[in-house]
Amino acid sequence: MLPLSLLKTAQNHPMLVELKNGETYNGHLVSCDNWMNINLREVICTSRDGDKFWRMPECYIRGSTIKYLRIPDEIIDMVKEDVLSKGRGRGGAQQNKQQGKGRGGAGRVGVFGSRGRGLTGPGRGQQQMQDKKSGKPQGMKNQH
């Protein structure tokens, strides 16, 4: 289950947001974006120590300041049902295999061939030395 799909499902439901600085915000989620920036309405803000409270009609919280979100269990259940009804989330394993994508699938074959590691010759800027006895290459370093 993806966090953003969970947040999109949680719109118009109550939630608690704790920030990295310790403040908490209780309110109803209005909207969110791809960076997890969120808008809340009917918000009660609690200070870090828990001794001060503020009531605000609306609030914007930057996603990078969020420590965690507490969302009702019913929302999580709704997202699980939605994922099951759509069938394995992002296309499923079969679709990726058919298109040649994913781990170990057929990669892009281009004019330049393979560009990954696993060079058979010497690395960049290294000269290949030959062993005097066997005539085999020597002094090649493993590239990690």
Side-chain angles (χ1 to χ4, degrees), residues 28-127:
H28 287 79
L29 180 64
V30 175
S31 63
C32 65
D33 63 14
N34 291 338
W35 296 274
M36 214 174 284
N37 301 321
I38 60 175
N39 287 307
L40 297 175
R41 64 178 163 80
E42 301 168 15
V43 183
I44 297 174
C45 176
T46 307
S47 69
R48 178 183 196 158
D49 306 326
D51 57 349
K52 296 178 188 167
F53 301 91
W54 297 272
R55 177 168 284 228
M56 298 178 272
E58 57 187 29
C59 176
Y60 173 84
I61 300 173
R62 183 182 166 116
S64 64
T65 64
I66 296 174
K67 183 177 184 181
Y68 73 85
L69 303 167
R70 188 178 298 164
I71 299 172
D73 291 336
E74 64 190 48
I75 304 301
I76 295 169
D77 295 338
M78 288 169 58
V79 173
K80 284 181 183 175
E81 290 170 9
D82 196 32
V83 167
L84 289 175
S85 67
K86 288 183 180 176
R88 302 199 72 175
R90 292 185 164 196
Q94 288 294 357
Q95 186 178 0
N96 285 339
K97 284 182 184 176
Q98 289 171 355
Q99 294 176 355
K101 294 180 181 176
R103 297 176 90 83
R108 188 187 97 180
V109 179
V111 178
F112 301 108
S114 174
R115 292 179 158 196
R117 294 188 176 169
L119 299 171
T120 56
R124 189 174 181 187
Q126 298 175 352
Q127 291 183 353

Side-chain angles (χ1 to χ4, degrees), residues 10-28:
Q11 286 184 353
N12 299 318
H13 288 85
M15 68 169 23
L16 177 135
V17 180
E18 183 171 334
L19 303 185
K20 292 176 183 176
N21 67 7
E23 292 178 352
T24 60
Y25 292 81
N26 277 296
H28 287 79

